[in-house]
Structures are given as structure tokens and as C-alpha cells.
Amino acid sequence: MKEKDVLAEFPEQQVIVYIEKEDGTYDAIQTGSFISANYIDDFFLKRKNLEKALQEKIEKREINAIGYYMIYEDLTISELAARMGLMKWTVRKHLRPDGFGKISEAALKKYSMVFNVASEEIVSRQSGNRK
Amino acid sequence: MIIENYQHKMAAHCESGSITSLLNYAGMKITEPMVFGISSGIFFGYFHAMKSFAFPTFIVRNKPGQMRKNIEKRTGVKFYTKEFKNQLKGQQALDLLISKGIPSAAQVDFFYLDYVPSWERVHLNVHFIVVIGKDGDVYKVSDSYFPHLVDLPADSMNKGRFAQGNMSPKGFMFYPGFVPESFNYEKAIRRGIKKACFNMLSIPIPFLGIKGIRLFAKKITDWPSIARDTEHLSHEVMKINILLEDQGTGGAGFRFMYATFLQQASEIIHKPELKDLARELMEIGDGWREFSLFAAKLGKNRDLGPEKFQHLSNLLYQRAEKEEDFFKRLSKTIK
């Protein structure tokens, strides 16, 4: 791979790529991320659509806010249970559309830590009062 | 306090980059490709259904932590390592090292690093950073994926170091406790290459090494039936490009960096055949890049019909064949 074939303009995300130089030796260069430079808008569009689709599922009572963040952050029930330090069946119970109200304050706080969002945000997402 | 004479440098990968950087700081002159090669970093594994992953995925490097262990075994370096059950003790130990002027690598979940842009944040418990200072409640961090030193609040550092889940960091940190004045490069390089060839060709597990590339080729045609919807499928297909090019691989799923290692090794151990093999691996890497760029384009255009997945599958079968032939010859060359 030659240098000219990997260069991409994206100052917000730099990567190191190993390339073949003019003299035939290989070395590292710093460049912008190719995929972010070319497709970042598509990524944000998909995230927005996913947010909307998941919020609609909450409103239709197909999932609750915990399920929203689990899917949004690409976690599985197993992984979420491990991160919460809970049994899988407990997390399954929390994930039921009607299970949200049964989640203790402490568990909600832990979920908020795992998802890295405020507890209030999870609650408002569940109630559909998000601004 | 900041460890002033620590030189931050971007690297292709977080683990090989952290190890290289810490060894350079400790006085050992070694490049990142050499660390990667000696530690048999190159690999492939495909995971079609694992409880920890929400969608099939693949890896292109050996197990996290293995690079450090292999470097120890093959160069004589001794790393001081420590895990913690208690978060406070973990933080105190890290702070103590900073106060003593010892930069150390810490394992963290990438997701909690505030300085990482939102589009890059994923839950990944095996990211390595080097901690080189602390000012009040903010750590000064050398992260191989960023051009400059970055700041990380102590709260986020603790969340990252003590995240739970698959391969949880448990506050793990390491730094070189002993670095030999010299080591037998030839022996280390040969052992590194032999193990890499074994990993790619001979591990008797159907989803690892070349077998893993073939399994990926076989299973990728199932992806449309696993995805939630078209946008999810598009996202996962585009992630192929991210995993191969963007997530700290040096391009083409580490193939370019391993080729660089082979070129450097050829000079050190006076084996010109390795230079030819390096060139060949660069070309194999070009094929991986072609595959990943094609995947990104398909995802962007939502061009996700069965014939496109069949084409992706064919490209993967080609990579498997090329790599099988390549690693067989590399193995013979190094014997």
C-alpha cells in the first residue's frame, strides 16, 4: 500500500497506517480515518434512526429504557448481566416492558453507570418526556 | 505531577504501542512492528455466536495480554503486573506510581474515555493506555490512538479500569520492572514467527487462524438473516472496515504492520527471503483493504443483496488461500 492510497482528511480521528515508501521500505504514517472521512454522516444518520426506532418501541411497550440502552450500546443480556454483577434472569426481568418499575434505585444507579448516562435520563426516556 | 521526559507517540495498536512506548522509556530501542512480530501478534478468529457479542465479529490479533507475555518470554523483559479487587486501592497504586515517576499501562474499557469522540466509543474492555501524570483529579494519559497527550478525569478512569463484563480489566496495570541491556534478537524473531505460523495454520479450533477466515467466508452470507433490519446490517457490514482499518491495526488487519516487522527482521537476522515475504504480505494486505473498502461501500449504499454477500465471501476465501500459502512458506523459511 502506497502513502497516496491511504491518506484521508479527517483531523478529528487520526490513525497510524503502515505503508510502502518510495524507496521500498515500510514505515508508519499518520493520517485521517478513511471510513470516518467518507462515511461519518451515514453513521450519525443510522444512530438517529436507531434512537427513533427504539424510542417508538418503548412507546409501544415492546421494550423499556434498559432495553433501549442495551441495544443502543451493542450489549447482549449476558454481557449486561456481567457488567451489572447480576444473574441473567434478573436482567431479563428488568428488560420486560413492565419490568422497569420494579428496578430498585441501586440497580438503576448501576445501570446508569454501565450505560454512562444519568439515571434521570433513563427514567425520562422510559416516560417519553425527553426533550 | 507529570512525568516530563516521557515521549508520547501515536502507534498502530494500543497494546503493542503501550509496550513499545514503555520499553523505549526504559531504555530499550525497539519498534512497534518488532514488538508486534516478536510477540506473534498477527492472528485471525471469527466468532459467529458468542454470548458477549451482539452480532458475529472477528479478531485480527492474538489474545489481549498475550503480546506482553510473549515479549517477556522472548526478550527477558520482566513486567510488574497488578490487578485489584478494590477500586480505591487500584487508584492509590496508580497514583503512587505517578508520584514515583513511573509511567504504567492501564487496561480500560474504551467506552468510558471522555476524550474519545462519540462515534468511536464502544464497550471494549481491553484497551491499553499509559498513565503519565495527574493534576488534581485529572490524569494525563498517553493513548496510542491520539496524536497528543489527553486528560481523563479520575472518575472516568475508575469507571474504565473497573468496568465489569467479558475480559474485565480489574484495574490491571503493568510497567517494565526489568529490561535487559540486550537480548538475542534472532532467537526472539524466530520464536515469534514460528508461533505466529502455528497460530494461523495449526490451532485445532475451527474458528481460529486460516480456518477462522474460511468460517467467516462461509458464515458471512448468513448475516442478512441475523440483522435486525437493513440499517443494522449496513452498520455491521461497515464495521468490517472499522475492525480491519480503524481500530488500531496499522491497516489491513495488522497485515501491513506484520509485513513491516518481516522487513525489519530480514535486516536483523540477515535473511533476504523475509523481505520477499514481507512484500507478498503487503500485497495480501492490499487484498484485505480491498475487501474492507468494498464492505464499507456496500453498507453506505445499502447494497446488501445476497450476491454482494457472496462476493464478500469469495473475497474472504481468496484471503484464506493466500494467507495459508503465505504462512506455510513463512514457516518453512524460518525453520
Side-chain angles (χ1 to χ4, degrees), chain B residues 138-318:
Chain B
V138 178
Y139 286 98
K140 192 60 87 180
V141 167
S142 167
D143 188 321
S144 306
Y145 297 164
F146 290 81
H148 307 291
L149 291 173
V150 285
D151 291 331
L152 185 65
D155 179 47
S156 302
M157 175 72 87
N158 285 332
K159 277 185 191 171
R161 290 182 71 203
F162 292 92
Q164 290 170 277
N166 185 31
M167 305 193 90
S168 56
K170 299 183 184 79
F172 182 74
M173 56 186 205
F174 70 89
Y175 63 89
F178 169 76
V179 176
E181 279 184 20
S182 64
F183 67 95
N184 187 334
Y185 256 104
E186 175 154 5
K187 203 173 162 193
I189 287 169
R190 283 180 183 276
R191 284 179 69 190
I193 294 177
K194 276 183 190 170
K195 183 67 178 168
C197 292
F198 174 82
N199 287 346
M200 288 302 289
L201 297 168
S202 308
I203 295 183
I205 297 174
F207 52 86
L208 300 180
I210 304 295
K211 292 187 208 78
I213 306 177
R214 291 212 168 93
L215 186 67
F216 188 13
K218 185 181 167 195
K219 294 283 190 184
I220 196 169
T221 52
D222 294 347
W223 280 22
S225 63
I226 305 168
R228 284 190 302 270
D229 52 34
T230 305
E231 289 210 341
H232 182 213
L233 184 59
S234 154
H235 176 67
E236 295 297 339
V237 167
M238 291 173 93
K239 247 166 68 180
I240 290 174
N241 184 285
I242 295 169
L243 294 174
L244 283 171
E245 310 296 337
D246 255 31
Q247 247 177 27
T249 71
F254 291 106
R255 272 56 188 165
F256 293 157
M257 185 153 72
Y258 200 73
T260 308
F261 155 69
L262 290 177
Q263 195 181 60
Q264 291 178 1
S266 152
E267 297 286 334
I268 294 170
I269 68 173
H270 309 293
K271 214 161 176 42
E273 303 97 301
L274 288 183
K275 205 171 267 182
D276 298 334
L277 285 163
R279 174 164 292 282
E280 222 178 285
L281 187 58
M282 266 286 179
E283 285 166 14
I284 290 173
D286 288 346
W288 277 109
R289 199 166 164 89
E290 187 191 321
F291 165 73
S292 74
L293 295 180
F294 181 64
K297 205 170 155 189
L298 293 185
K300 169 69 169 72
N301 297 334
R302 313 289 189 267
D303 186 6
L304 301 162
E307 73 289 354
K308 299 297 183 202
F309 278 89
Q310 194 51 56
H311 186 60
L312 285 172
S313 169
N314 293 342
L315 289 174
L316 282 167
Y317 276 121
Q318 283 171 20

Side-chain angles (χ1 to χ4, degrees), chain A residues 1-2 5-7 10-20 24-28 30 32-36 38-40 42-47 49-50 53-54 71 73-79 82-85 88 110 112-116, chain B residues 10-12 32-33 50-54 109 111-112 114 117-121 123-125 145 147 159 163-166 228 231 234-236 238-239 241-242 245-246 250-251 256-257 259-260 263 275 278-279 282 286 289 293 296-297 299-300 302:
Chain A
M1 187 61 57
K2 306 277 187 198
D5 299 320
V6 299
L7 289 178
F10 198 72
E12 299 88 343
Q13 188 185 346
Q14 296 287 294
V15 293
I16 293 291
V17 182
Y18 281 85
I19 48 103
E20 182 179 355
T25 58
Y26 307 152
D27 206 353
Q30 182 185 325
S33 151
F34 176 86
I35 195 157
S36 293
N38 291 284
Y39 301 124
I40 194 86
D42 185 59
F43 172 81
F44 285 124
L45 171 75
K46 279 186 281 201
R47 295 304 272 178
N49 290 343
L50 179 61
L54 293 176
I71 298 168
E73 295 186 10
D74 248 354
L75 295 167
T76 60
I77 293 176
S78 268
E79 182 63 12
R83 283 174 179 266
M84 286 291 294
K88 270 190 281 184
K110 187 79 195 279
S112 90
M113 211 183 82
V114 170
F115 297 137
N116 211 22
Chain B
M10 269 190 94
E32 188 191 7
M50 267 185 82
K51 285 178 181 174
S52 311
F53 302 127
D109 181 348
F111 188 79
Y112 298 107
D114 300 331
S118 64
W119 64 87
E120 282 186 75
R121 294 232 197 145
H123 283 287
L124 177 73
N125 271 338
Y145 297 164
K159 277 185 191 171
Q164 290 170 277
N166 185 31
R228 284 190 302 270
E231 289 210 341
S234 154
H235 176 67
E236 295 297 339
M238 291 173 93
K239 247 166 68 180
N241 184 285
I242 295 169
E245 310 296 337
D246 255 31
F256 293 157
M257 185 153 72
T260 308
Q263 195 181 60
K275 205 171 267 182
R279 174 164 292 282
M282 266 286 179
D286 288 346
R289 199 166 164 89
L293 295 180
K297 205 170 155 189
K300 169 69 169 72
R302 313 289 189 267

